[in-house]
Amino acid sequence: MNIEQIFVNNKNWITNRLKVDEHYFENLSKGQNPDILYIGCSDSRVTAEDLMGVQPGDVFVHRNIANMVPNTDLSAMSVINYAVSHLKVNHVVVCGHYYCGGVKAAMQSADLGILNPWLRNIRDVYRIHRQELDAIADDEARYKRLVELNVQEQCVNVLKTADVQRAYRERKITVHGWVFDIHSGKLIDLKINFGEVLDQIREIYHLD
Ligand code: CO
């Protein structure tokens, strides 16, 4: 990758945007009012805006390795707080993806240094769903299912945050679990039944 090319690209991008709307950047600078918070993986193949076909200003984005929402992670918690309680988004999306290196690494026993405590969160997901996952004989199918279950558990982590709990009481906010299939380019809605999932954990976490 030629870094200088990036600045050439940027100039072209500005020209093209201004061709369509001469006030484009002027209007962007006035502020943001996104309706969606997207939490996805840092993977270079899983671009947030591109795969959703949305424009700057449409989506508030947070990305980290394996789209995790650990409740002690200051970065993820700050993003959720700002998006839900200040920007007042009505949708929170956790988007995982098949062929996720983070999820794959968590299924192996290699020592990955600083990544160990981060990936341990995915191993916890495996532990919670061990019965279902161990019953899947095919390695690829089990890996894909762990990607999906990780999305589900991170959605539960989103639902457990004080900001989302408060937003639930005050207005309509929806949490979505999605998976991006790199092999086909398809975005898949896992259609997770959060009512059912939350029923199982409500008493433990004292959720509304
Ligand atoms: Co990934």
Side-chain angles (χ1 to χ4, degrees), residues 41-43 66-67 97 99-102:
C41 185
S42 295
D43 192 303
N67 42 271
H97 68 103
Y99 314 98
C100 183

Side-chain angles (χ1 to χ4, degrees), residues 89-106:
V89 298
N90 288 309
H91 302 274
V92 180
V93 170
V94 176
C95 185
H97 68 103
Y98 297 140
Y99 314 98
C100 183
V103 172
K104 182 145 222 172

